[in-house]
Amino acid sequence: MVALVASASGSTPAPPTSGNAGSFGPDVVHLSGVRNIEFGDTETELTRRGVLEPEPASCTPNLNGLATVGPVFDHDRLVLMWVSPPMHTPEGVTVGTPVNTVHARYPAATELAAPQGTYRFDGLLAQEGDRAFLFLHDGRVVRKTIAGYADYAHKLFDEGFGLC
């Protein structure tokens, strides 16, 4: 799993009021979170509710029952999630989705170019308010899907990420 190490801001905004987490299916990551897990939740609260493994088996915490979702915390707050199939956005985008499909489903997405001479992927940032989906792609298909706070998604794209 990957983890974002640096902080993008001093405070975590409240979740958007539009959209009800219960109205999405179990394999849908949305701009509020996934299932009963919301961006801004604390590690302490998620552990207390039995959603977060108290002692991760890998280098990053794991969400119980969500093996294809990698949470990223900053100052004890959930700020991003890396997601893989079968998880997908409400618009059906996931790892493996063709880039032209992403453009069709998120026509206002901003194109982000990876720095020249790096092995990083280009990106498409679909932002709504303070939340966003970041789709890292190889020019043909989505290779990584990230959801969460837009500031953190920008920071992750701009600064890269580290492996454990």
Side-chain angles (χ1 to χ4, degrees):
M1 262 315 128
V2 290
L4 182 66
V5 184
S7 171
S9 65
S11 65
T12 304
T17 55
S18 63
N20 178 354
S23 66
F24 295 100
D27 291 338
V28 177
V29 62
H30 44 86
L31 293 178
S32 293
V34 65
R35 297 184 188 173
N36 64 340
I37 302 164
E38 294 188 358
F39 296 110
D41 285 349
T42 66
E43 288 182 82
T44 304
E45 173 63 17
L46 293 173
T47 301
R48 186 190 65 73
R49 290 180 10 216
V51 176
L52 188 70
E53 292 180 11
E55 294 186 28
S58 62
C59 62
T60 61
N62 295 310
L63 298 172
N64 291 320
L66 290 168
T68 61
V69 177
V72 178
F73 294 90
D74 184 46
H75 294 98
D76 193 47
R77 296 267 176 203
L78 179 64
V79 296
L80 293 173
M81 292 182 200
W82 291 76
V83 298
S84 299
M87 302 303 294
H88 56 84
T89 71
E91 291 75 17
V93 175
T94 189
V95 171
T97 300
V99 172
N100 61 351
T101 301
V102 179
H103 282 290
R105 296 194 181 153
Y106 296 95
T110 303
E111 295 196 35
L112 304 172
Q116 293 292 327
T118 68
Y119 291 102
R120 292 169 44 192
F121 293 116
D122 288 337
L124 289 168
L125 186 75
Q127 185 171 344
E128 182 179 312
D130 70 339
R131 309 295 170 90
F133 292 115
L134 174 59
F135 305 105
L136 301 178
H137 64 85
D138 62 8
R140 296 179 306 104
V141 298
V142 173
R143 302 296 294 241
K144 306 284 182 188
T145 303
I146 300 108
Y149 290 108
D151 287 348
Y152 285 90
H154 272 287
K155 189 171 192 72
L156 177 116
F157 186 83
D158 291 342
E159 296 180 8
F161 55 90
L163 297 174
C164 300

